[in-house]
């Protein structure tokens, strides 16, 4: 089901197990790929610190991951340098556990390296770290859209519209799309927030909203695509 995919992601072998065994399989996979392989490969001398940093980053999918913010949060509990945190996050990216997305500045028409959003290779890497089944569907749906767009060959950036952030500027075959992603816009505040991100922009780029809603919320300037249709047909 869609909800199952939003929570437990797309590692194909997991569907061979029942619900409880699926979580154990994903946890074992996580332990092998993220911890054992990387710790051994890079001869990490502080494995518990690496685990703590990894957990923080993987719970922060579809968000800005700031080296300084992580350092500030962790240094009160653990002895660590900013350089160590940068190195650990680079290890995760180098192992394709996470990917980090740059900001595109429309004023300078260039990428800004200091601003990065982090996306997990699979949303299960977030979900297995959730407590009491409080799964992060809002960020997981954005993460899945990111992974799917990359798979489909789009070049992606975060787009800044004045003081508002649009999730993706997607480029492919001389076409450009501005894409907002939300779990649902049924709530009036969510609807206003997502559509407000496009305010003031001309129609030189197609504007798209992707959500898990079945109702078509398209307007004269913004095309709404249900998450299910996006997975089947793209944009």
């Amino acid at each position: 089901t869609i909800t199952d995919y939003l929570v437990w992601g797309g590692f194909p072998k997991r569907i061979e197990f029942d619900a409880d065994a699926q979580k154990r399989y994903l946890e074992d996979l996580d332990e092998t790929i993220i911890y054992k392989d990387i710790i051994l490969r890079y001869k990490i001398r502080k494995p518990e610190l690496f685990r703590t940093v990894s957990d923080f980053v993987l719970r922060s999918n579809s968000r800005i991951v700031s080296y300084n913010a992580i350092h500030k949060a962790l240094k009160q509990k653990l002895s660590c340098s900013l350089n160590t945190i940068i190195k650990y996050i680079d290890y995760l990216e180098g192992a394709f556990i996470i990917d980090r997305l740059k900001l595109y500045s429309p004023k300078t028409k260039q990428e800004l390296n200091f601003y990065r959003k982090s996306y997990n290779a699979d949303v299960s890497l977030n979900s297995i770290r959730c407590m009491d089944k409080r799964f992060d569907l809002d960020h997981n749906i954005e993460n899945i859209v990111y992974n799917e767009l990359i798979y489909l060959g789009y070049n992606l950036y975060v787009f800044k519209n004045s003081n508002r952030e649009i999730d993706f500027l997607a480029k492919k075959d001389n076409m450009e799309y501005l894409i907002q992603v939300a779990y649902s816009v049924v709530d009036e505040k969510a609807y206003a927030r997502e559509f407000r991100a496009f305010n003031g922009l001309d129609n030189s780029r197609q504007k798209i909203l992707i959500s898990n809603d079945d109702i078509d919320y398209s307007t004269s300037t913004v095309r709404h695509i249900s998450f299910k249709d996006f997975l089947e047909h793209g944009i």
Side-chain angles (χ1 to χ4, degrees), residues 18-46:
D18 61 29
D20 291 336
Q22 280 190 34
K23 189 169 187 292
R24 289 195 298 273
Y25 163 74
L26 291 168
E27 288 170 341
D28 289 343
L29 193 64
D30 180 80
E31 178 70 21
T32 299
I33 296 174
I34 297 178
Y35 297 131
K36 291 181 180 177
D37 287 354
I38 295 179
I39 287 169
L40 290 172
R41 185 189 314 167
Y42 294 105
K43 298 180 174 61
I44 293 174
R45 290 178 293 177
K46 295 182 178 180

PDB file of all heavy atoms in Angstrom, residues 18-46:
ATOM      1  N   ASP A  18       6.908 -10.935   7.119  1.00  0.00           N
ATOM      2  CA  ASP A  18       5.718 -10.325   7.717  1.00  0.00           C
ATOM      3  C   ASP A  18       6.127  -9.024   8.397  1.00  0.00           C
ATOM      4  O   ASP A  18       7.300  -8.656   8.428  1.00  0.00           O
ATOM      5  CB  ASP A  18       5.034 -11.279   8.696  1.00  0.00           C
ATOM      6  CG  ASP A  18       5.924 -11.679   9.868  1.00  0.00           C
ATOM      7  OD1 ASP A  18       6.799 -10.886  10.259  1.00  0.00           O
ATOM      8  OD2 ASP A  18       5.755 -12.795  10.403  1.00  0.00           O
ATOM      9  N   ALA A  19       5.143  -8.311   8.974  1.00  0.00           N
ATOM     10  CA  ALA A  19       5.379  -6.954   9.474  1.00  0.00           C
ATOM     11  C   ALA A  19       6.496  -6.887  10.509  1.00  0.00           C
ATOM     12  O   ALA A  19       7.406  -6.049  10.408  1.00  0.00           O
ATOM     13  CB  ALA A  19       4.085  -6.387  10.053  1.00  0.00           C
ATOM     14  N   ASP A  20       6.454  -7.755  11.522  1.00  0.00           N
ATOM     15  CA  ASP A  20       7.479  -7.710  12.573  1.00  0.00           C
ATOM     16  C   ASP A  20       8.855  -8.066  12.027  1.00  0.00           C
ATOM     17  O   ASP A  20       9.862  -7.429  12.359  1.00  0.00           O
ATOM     18  CB  ASP A  20       7.105  -8.659  13.715  1.00  0.00           C
ATOM     19  CG  ASP A  20       5.899  -8.166  14.498  1.00  0.00           C
ATOM     20  OD1 ASP A  20       5.653  -6.939  14.479  1.00  0.00           O
ATOM     21  OD2 ASP A  20       5.199  -9.000  15.099  1.00  0.00           O
ATOM     22  N   ALA A  21       8.895  -9.073  11.171  1.00  0.00           N
ATOM     23  CA  ALA A  21      10.170  -9.508  10.605  1.00  0.00           C
ATOM     24  C   ALA A  21      10.742  -8.463   9.648  1.00  0.00           C
ATOM     25  O   ALA A  21      11.965  -8.334   9.511  1.00  0.00           O
ATOM     26  CB  ALA A  21      10.003 -10.845   9.890  1.00  0.00           C
ATOM     27  N   GLN A  22       9.864  -7.693   8.990  1.00  0.00           N
ATOM     28  CA  GLN A  22      10.330  -6.633   8.107  1.00  0.00           C
ATOM     29  C   GLN A  22      11.161  -5.619   8.874  1.00  0.00           C
ATOM     30  O   GLN A  22      12.234  -5.210   8.427  1.00  0.00           O
ATOM     31  CB  GLN A  22       9.142  -5.920   7.450  1.00  0.00           C
ATOM     32  CG  GLN A  22       8.556  -6.647   6.265  1.00  0.00           C
ATOM     33  CD  GLN A  22       7.548  -5.789   5.518  1.00  0.00           C
ATOM     34  OE1 GLN A  22       7.692  -4.577   5.430  1.00  0.00           O
ATOM     35  NE2 GLN A  22       6.517  -6.427   4.981  1.00  0.00           N
ATOM     36  N   LYS A  23      10.664  -5.201  10.029  1.00  0.00           N
ATOM     37  CA  LYS A  23      11.394  -4.209  10.820  1.00  0.00           C
ATOM     38  C   LYS A  23      12.741  -4.765  11.274  1.00  0.00           C
ATOM     39  O   LYS A  23      13.761  -4.073  11.227  1.00  0.00           O
ATOM     40  CB  LYS A  23      10.565  -3.757  12.027  1.00  0.00           C
ATOM     41  CG  LYS A  23      11.167  -2.578  12.783  1.00  0.00           C
ATOM     42  CD  LYS A  23      10.168  -2.016  13.781  1.00  0.00           C
ATOM     43  CE  LYS A  23      10.706  -0.741  14.420  1.00  0.00           C
ATOM     44  NZ  LYS A  23      11.846  -0.963  15.286  1.00  0.00           N
ATOM     45  N   ARG A  24      12.771  -6.019  11.685  1.00  0.00           N
ATOM     46  CA  ARG A  24      14.037  -6.629  12.107  1.00  0.00           C
ATOM     47  C   ARG A  24      15.013  -6.708  10.934  1.00  0.00           C
ATOM     48  O   ARG A  24      16.209  -6.453  11.082  1.00  0.00           O
ATOM     49  CB  ARG A  24      13.790  -8.024  12.693  1.00  0.00           C
ATOM     50  CG  ARG A  24      13.101  -8.005  14.051  1.00  0.00           C
ATOM     51  CD  ARG A  24      13.214  -9.347  14.734  1.00  0.00           C
ATOM     52  NE  ARG A  24      12.567 -10.421  13.979  1.00  0.00           N
ATOM     53  CZ  ARG A  24      11.279 -10.732  14.094  1.00  0.00           C
ATOM     54  NH1 ARG A  24      10.493 -10.047  14.924  1.00  0.00           N
ATOM     55  NH2 ARG A  24      10.768 -11.729  13.393  1.00  0.00           N
ATOM     56  N   TYR A  25      14.489  -7.065   9.751  1.00  0.00           N
ATOM     57  CA  TYR A  25      15.339  -7.124   8.556  1.00  0.00           C
ATOM     58  C   TYR A  25      15.941  -5.756   8.254  1.00  0.00           C
ATOM     59  O   TYR A  25      17.149  -5.635   7.972  1.00  0.00           O
ATOM     60  CB  TYR A  25      14.524  -7.617   7.364  1.00  0.00           C
ATOM     61  CG  TYR A  25      15.167  -7.325   6.025  1.00  0.00           C
ATOM     62  CD1 TYR A  25      16.271  -8.052   5.596  1.00  0.00           C
ATOM     63  CD2 TYR A  25      14.689  -6.293   5.203  1.00  0.00           C
ATOM     64  CE1 TYR A  25      16.883  -7.774   4.373  1.00  0.00           C
ATOM     65  CE2 TYR A  25      15.283  -6.020   3.985  1.00  0.00           C
ATOM     66  CZ  TYR A  25      16.379  -6.753   3.578  1.00  0.00           C
ATOM     67  OH  TYR A  25      16.982  -6.473   2.379  1.00  0.00           O
ATOM     68  N   LEU A  26      15.106  -4.698   8.317  1.00  0.00           N
ATOM     69  CA  LEU A  26      15.587  -3.352   8.022  1.00  0.00           C
ATOM     70  C   LEU A  26      16.591  -2.882   9.069  1.00  0.00           C
ATOM     71  O   LEU A  26      17.579  -2.210   8.744  1.00  0.00           O
ATOM     72  CB  LEU A  26      14.406  -2.382   7.935  1.00  0.00           C
ATOM     73  CG  LEU A  26      13.484  -2.586   6.727  1.00  0.00           C
ATOM     74  CD1 LEU A  26      12.199  -1.780   6.881  1.00  0.00           C
ATOM     75  CD2 LEU A  26      14.190  -2.218   5.427  1.00  0.00           C
ATOM     76  N   GLU A  27      16.363  -3.241  10.323  1.00  0.00           N
ATOM     77  CA  GLU A  27      17.322  -2.883  11.374  1.00  0.00           C
ATOM     78  C   GLU A  27      18.651  -3.605  11.177  1.00  0.00           C
ATOM     79  O   GLU A  27      19.723  -3.009  11.375  1.00  0.00           O
ATOM     80  CB  GLU A  27      16.727  -3.197  12.754  1.00  0.00           C
ATOM     81  CG  GLU A  27      15.619  -2.237  13.155  1.00  0.00           C
ATOM     82  CD  GLU A  27      14.881  -2.680  14.403  1.00  0.00           C
ATOM     83  OE1 GLU A  27      14.962  -3.887  14.760  1.00  0.00           O
ATOM     84  OE2 GLU A  27      14.204  -1.835  15.025  1.00  0.00           O
ATOM     85  N   ASP A  28      18.599  -4.866  10.784  1.00  0.00           N
ATOM     86  CA  ASP A  28      19.835  -5.606  10.506  1.00  0.00           C
ATOM     87  C   ASP A  28      20.577  -5.006   9.306  1.00  0.00           C
ATOM     88  O   ASP A  28      21.811  -4.896   9.313  1.00  0.00           O
ATOM     89  CB  ASP A  28      19.527  -7.085  10.224  1.00  0.00           C
ATOM     90  CG  ASP A  28      19.087  -7.838  11.469  1.00  0.00           C
ATOM     91  OD1 ASP A  28      19.318  -7.326  12.578  1.00  0.00           O
ATOM     92  OD2 ASP A  28      18.508  -8.940  11.321  1.00  0.00           O
ATOM     93  N   LEU A  29      19.818  -4.634   8.288  1.00  0.00           N
ATOM     94  CA  LEU A  29      20.410  -4.003   7.109  1.00  0.00           C
ATOM     95  C   LEU A  29      21.069  -2.679   7.485  1.00  0.00           C
ATOM     96  O   LEU A  29      22.189  -2.370   7.053  1.00  0.00           O
ATOM     97  CB  LEU A  29      19.319  -3.778   6.054  1.00  0.00           C
ATOM     98  CG  LEU A  29      19.759  -3.402   4.642  1.00  0.00           C
ATOM     99  CD1 LEU A  29      20.559  -4.523   4.001  1.00  0.00           C
ATOM    100  CD2 LEU A  29      18.535  -3.074   3.792  1.00  0.00           C
ATOM    101  N   ASP A  30      20.374  -1.916   8.293  1.00  0.00           N
ATOM    102  CA  ASP A  30      20.887  -0.637   8.779  1.00  0.00           C
ATOM    103  C   ASP A  30      22.198  -0.835   9.542  1.00  0.00           C
ATOM    104  O   ASP A  30      23.183  -0.124   9.326  1.00  0.00           O
ATOM    105  CB  ASP A  30      19.830   0.000   9.689  1.00  0.00           C
ATOM    106  CG  ASP A  30      20.256   1.336  10.265  1.00  0.00           C
ATOM    107  OD1 ASP A  30      20.147   2.332   9.538  1.00  0.00           O
ATOM    108  OD2 ASP A  30      20.692   1.377  11.429  1.00  0.00           O
ATOM    109  N   GLU A  31      22.223  -1.824  10.423  1.00  0.00           N
ATOM    110  CA  GLU A  31      23.419  -2.107  11.226  1.00  0.00           C
ATOM    111  C   GLU A  31      24.598  -2.486  10.327  1.00  0.00           C
ATOM    112  O   GLU A  31      25.731  -2.028  10.533  1.00  0.00           O
ATOM    113  CB  GLU A  31      23.125  -3.243  12.206  1.00  0.00           C
ATOM    114  CG  GLU A  31      24.300  -3.662  13.068  1.00  0.00           C
ATOM    115  CD  GLU A  31      24.690  -2.628  14.104  1.00  0.00           C
ATOM    116  OE1 GLU A  31      23.845  -1.769  14.449  1.00  0.00           O
ATOM    117  OE2 GLU A  31      25.836  -2.675  14.575  1.00  0.00           O
ATOM    118  N   THR A  32      24.324  -3.263   9.303  1.00  0.00           N
ATOM    119  CA  THR A  32      25.393  -3.722   8.413  1.00  0.00           C
ATOM    120  C   THR A  32      25.905  -2.602   7.515  1.00  0.00           C
ATOM    121  O   THR A  32      27.113  -2.345   7.436  1.00  0.00           O
ATOM    122  CB  THR A  32      24.901  -4.887   7.538  1.00  0.00           C
ATOM    123  OG1 THR A  32      24.510  -5.967   8.384  1.00  0.00           O
ATOM    124  CG2 THR A  32      25.997  -5.358   6.596  1.00  0.00           C
ATOM    125  N   ILE A  33      24.980  -1.936   6.835  1.00  0.00           N
ATOM    126  CA  ILE A  33      25.380  -0.940   5.842  1.00  0.00           C
ATOM    127  C   ILE A  33      25.936   0.320   6.498  1.00  0.00           C
ATOM    128  O   ILE A  33      27.016   0.804   6.136  1.00  0.00           O
ATOM    129  CB  ILE A  33      24.187  -0.556   4.940  1.00  0.00           C
ATOM    130  CG1 ILE A  33      23.722  -1.756   4.113  1.00  0.00           C
ATOM    131  CG2 ILE A  33      24.563   0.599   4.017  1.00  0.00           C
ATOM    132  CD1 ILE A  33      22.468  -1.480   3.311  1.00  0.00           C
ATOM    133  N   ILE A  34      25.207   0.842   7.458  1.00  0.00           N
ATOM    134  CA  ILE A  34      25.545   2.158   7.980  1.00  0.00           C
ATOM    135  C   ILE A  34      26.636   2.093   9.024  1.00  0.00           C
ATOM    136  O   ILE A  34      27.526   2.943   9.061  1.00  0.00           O
ATOM    137  CB  ILE A  34      24.292   2.845   8.543  1.00  0.00           C
ATOM    138  CG1 ILE A  34      23.307   3.061   7.403  1.00  0.00           C
ATOM    139  CG2 ILE A  34      24.644   4.164   9.215  1.00  0.00           C
ATOM    140  CD1 ILE A  34      22.033   3.679   7.791  1.00  0.00           C
ATOM    141  N   TYR A  35      26.570   1.100   9.858  1.00  0.00           N
ATOM    142  CA  TYR A  35      27.528   1.072  10.957  1.00  0.00           C
ATOM    143  C   TYR A  35      28.743   0.209  10.659  1.00  0.00           C
ATOM    144  O   TYR A  35      29.859   0.696  10.540  1.00  0.00           O
ATOM    145  CB  TYR A  35      26.830   0.615  12.229  1.00  0.00           C
ATOM    146  CG  TYR A  35      25.745   1.579  12.667  1.00  0.00           C
ATOM    147  CD1 TYR A  35      24.474   1.142  13.009  1.00  0.00           C
ATOM    148  CD2 TYR A  35      26.002   2.943  12.720  1.00  0.00           C
ATOM    149  CE1 TYR A  35      23.493   2.036  13.397  1.00  0.00           C
ATOM    150  CE2 TYR A  35      25.018   3.841  13.096  1.00  0.00           C
ATOM    151  CZ  TYR A  35      23.768   3.386  13.442  1.00  0.00           C
ATOM    152  OH  TYR A  35      22.800   4.272  13.817  1.00  0.00           O
ATOM    153  N   LYS A  36      28.528  -1.088  10.471  1.00  0.00           N
ATOM    154  CA  LYS A  36      29.678  -1.991  10.348  1.00  0.00           C
ATOM    155  C   LYS A  36      30.544  -1.651   9.140  1.00  0.00           C
ATOM    156  O   LYS A  36      31.759  -1.525   9.250  1.00  0.00           O
ATOM    157  CB  LYS A  36      29.198  -3.436  10.300  1.00  0.00           C
ATOM    158  CG  LYS A  36      28.610  -3.920  11.618  1.00  0.00           C
ATOM    159  CD  LYS A  36      28.168  -5.363  11.532  1.00  0.00           C
ATOM    160  CE  LYS A  36      27.584  -5.843  12.870  1.00  0.00           C
ATOM    161  NZ  LYS A  36      27.072  -7.230  12.789  1.00  0.00           N
ATOM    162  N   ASP A  37      29.913  -1.483   7.969  1.00  0.00           N
ATOM    163  CA  ASP A  37      30.698  -1.239   6.755  1.00  0.00           C
ATOM    164  C   ASP A  37      31.482   0.069   6.847  1.00  0.00           C
ATOM    165  O   ASP A  37      32.678   0.110   6.538  1.00  0.00           O
ATOM    166  CB  ASP A  37      29.785  -1.211   5.530  1.00  0.00           C
ATOM    167  CG  ASP A  37      29.280  -2.596   5.144  1.00  0.00           C
ATOM    168  OD1 ASP A  37      29.733  -3.569   5.771  1.00  0.00           O
ATOM    169  OD2 ASP A  37      28.447  -2.694   4.240  1.00  0.00           O
ATOM    170  N   ILE A  38      30.809   1.136   7.248  1.00  0.00           N
ATOM    171  CA  ILE A  38      31.480   2.439   7.273  1.00  0.00           C
ATOM    172  C   ILE A  38      32.513   2.510   8.389  1.00  0.00           C
ATOM    173  O   ILE A  38      33.622   3.015   8.192  1.00  0.00           O
ATOM    174  CB  ILE A  38      30.440   3.572   7.412  1.00  0.00           C
ATOM    175  CG1 ILE A  38      29.547   3.612   6.167  1.00  0.00           C
ATOM    176  CG2 ILE A  38      31.132   4.923   7.614  1.00  0.00           C
ATOM    177  CD1 ILE A  38      28.469   4.667   6.212  1.00  0.00           C
ATOM    178  N   ILE A  39      32.175   2.002   9.568  1.00  0.00           N
ATOM    179  CA  ILE A  39      33.116   2.033  10.688  1.00  0.00           C
ATOM    180  C   ILE A  39      34.390   1.253  10.346  1.00  0.00           C
ATOM    181  O   ILE A  39      35.504   1.714  10.631  1.00  0.00           O
ATOM    182  CB  ILE A  39      32.455   1.488  11.966  1.00  0.00           C
ATOM    183  CG1 ILE A  39      31.443   2.518  12.498  1.00  0.00           C
ATOM    184  CG2 ILE A  39      33.492   1.175  13.051  1.00  0.00           C
ATOM    185  CD1 ILE A  39      30.550   1.995  13.600  1.00  0.00           C
ATOM    186  N   LEU A  40      34.226   0.106   9.724  1.00  0.00           N
ATOM    187  CA  LEU A  40      35.401  -0.691   9.345  1.00  0.00           C
ATOM    188  C   LEU A  40      36.168  -0.043   8.199  1.00  0.00           C
ATOM    189  O   LEU A  40      37.400   0.014   8.207  1.00  0.00           O
ATOM    190  CB  LEU A  40      34.971  -2.108   8.950  1.00  0.00           C
ATOM    191  CG  LEU A  40      34.467  -2.996  10.087  1.00  0.00           C
ATOM    192  CD1 LEU A  40      33.891  -4.294   9.534  1.00  0.00           C
ATOM    193  CD2 LEU A  40      35.591  -3.296  11.076  1.00  0.00           C
ATOM    194  N   ARG A  41      35.440   0.453   7.193  1.00  0.00           N
ATOM    195  CA  ARG A  41      36.102   1.016   6.018  1.00  0.00           C
ATOM    196  C   ARG A  41      36.958   2.225   6.368  1.00  0.00           C
ATOM    197  O   ARG A  41      38.077   2.376   5.865  1.00  0.00           O
ATOM    198  CB  ARG A  41      35.050   1.421   4.982  1.00  0.00           C
ATOM    199  CG  ARG A  41      35.648   1.921   3.666  1.00  0.00           C
ATOM    200  CD  ARG A  41      34.590   2.520   2.756  1.00  0.00           C
ATOM    201  NE  ARG A  41      33.396   1.705   2.669  1.00  0.00           N
ATOM    202  CZ  ARG A  41      32.247   2.119   2.142  1.00  0.00           C
ATOM    203  NH1 ARG A  41      32.154   3.361   1.672  1.00  0.00           N
ATOM    204  NH2 ARG A  41      31.199   1.328   2.085  1.00  0.00           N
ATOM    205  N   TYR A  42      36.410   3.091   7.244  1.00  0.00           N
ATOM    206  CA  TYR A  42      37.129   4.323   7.566  1.00  0.00           C
ATOM    207  C   TYR A  42      37.878   4.249   8.902  1.00  0.00           C
ATOM    208  O   TYR A  42      38.418   5.254   9.352  1.00  0.00           O
ATOM    209  CB  TYR A  42      36.151   5.502   7.579  1.00  0.00           C
ATOM    210  CG  TYR A  42      35.567   5.791   6.210  1.00  0.00           C
ATOM    211  CD1 TYR A  42      34.253   5.426   5.902  1.00  0.00           C
ATOM    212  CD2 TYR A  42      36.324   6.405   5.219  1.00  0.00           C
ATOM    213  CE1 TYR A  42      33.714   5.678   4.648  1.00  0.00           C
ATOM    214  CE2 TYR A  42      35.792   6.668   3.959  1.00  0.00           C
ATOM    215  CZ  TYR A  42      34.492   6.295   3.685  1.00  0.00           C
ATOM    216  OH  TYR A  42      33.951   6.544   2.440  1.00  0.00           O
ATOM    217  N   LYS A  43      37.853   3.062   9.511  1.00  0.00           N
ATOM    218  CA  LYS A  43      38.567   2.863  10.786  1.00  0.00           C
ATOM    219  C   LYS A  43      38.185   3.948  11.801  1.00  0.00           C
ATOM    220  O   LYS A  43      39.044   4.615  12.394  1.00  0.00           O
ATOM    221  CB  LYS A  43      40.080   2.853  10.546  1.00  0.00           C
ATOM    222  CG  LYS A  43      40.553   1.723   9.638  1.00  0.00           C
ATOM    223  CD  LYS A  43      42.056   1.770   9.439  1.00  0.00           C
ATOM    224  CE  LYS A  43      42.570   0.558   8.645  1.00  0.00           C
ATOM    225  NZ  LYS A  43      41.995   0.481   7.295  1.00  0.00           N
ATOM    226  N   ILE A  44      36.895   4.104  11.976  1.00  0.00           N
ATOM    227  CA  ILE A  44      36.387   5.136  12.887  1.00  0.00           C
ATOM    228  C   ILE A  44      36.702   4.771  14.335  1.00  0.00           C
ATOM    229  O   ILE A  44      36.353   3.680  14.793  1.00  0.00           O
ATOM    230  CB  ILE A  44      34.871   5.322  12.672  1.00  0.00           C
ATOM    231  CG1 ILE A  44      34.629   5.918  11.280  1.00  0.00           C
ATOM    232  CG2 ILE A  44      34.268   6.223  13.752  1.00  0.00           C
ATOM    233  CD1 ILE A  44      33.178   6.020  10.880  1.00  0.00           C
ATOM    234  N   ARG A  45      37.346   5.672  15.025  1.00  0.00           N
ATOM    235  CA  ARG A  45      37.819   5.394  16.381  1.00  0.00           C
ATOM    236  C   ARG A  45      36.779   5.696  17.455  1.00  0.00           C
ATOM    237  O   ARG A  45      36.945   5.297  18.606  1.00  0.00           O
ATOM    238  CB  ARG A  45      39.100   6.196  16.665  1.00  0.00           C
ATOM    239  CG  ARG A  45      40.315   5.701  15.865  1.00  0.00           C
ATOM    240  CD  ARG A  45      41.534   6.530  16.129  1.00  0.00           C
ATOM    241  NE  ARG A  45      41.384   7.899  15.627  1.00  0.00           N
ATOM    242  CZ  ARG A  45      42.303   8.861  15.792  1.00  0.00           C
ATOM    243  NH1 ARG A  45      43.411   8.610  16.439  1.00  0.00           N
ATOM    244  NH2 ARG A  45      42.094  10.067  15.285  1.00  0.00           N
ATOM    245  N   LYS A  46      35.727   6.427  17.084  1.00  0.00           N
ATOM    246  CA  LYS A  46      34.655   6.741  18.035  1.00  0.00           C
ATOM    247  C   LYS A  46      33.327   6.249  17.459  1.00  0.00           C
ATOM    248  O   LYS A  46      32.493   7.046  17.019  1.00  0.00           O
ATOM    249  CB  LYS A  46      34.599   8.241  18.313  1.00  0.00           C
ATOM    250  CG  LYS A  46      35.841   8.790  19.010  1.00  0.00           C
ATOM    251  CD  LYS A  46      35.681  10.285  19.302  1.00  0.00           C
ATOM    252  CE  LYS A  46      36.878  10.832  20.045  1.00  0.00           C
ATOM    253  NZ  LYS A  46      36.733  12.289  20.326  1.00  0.00           N
TER     254      LYS A  46
END
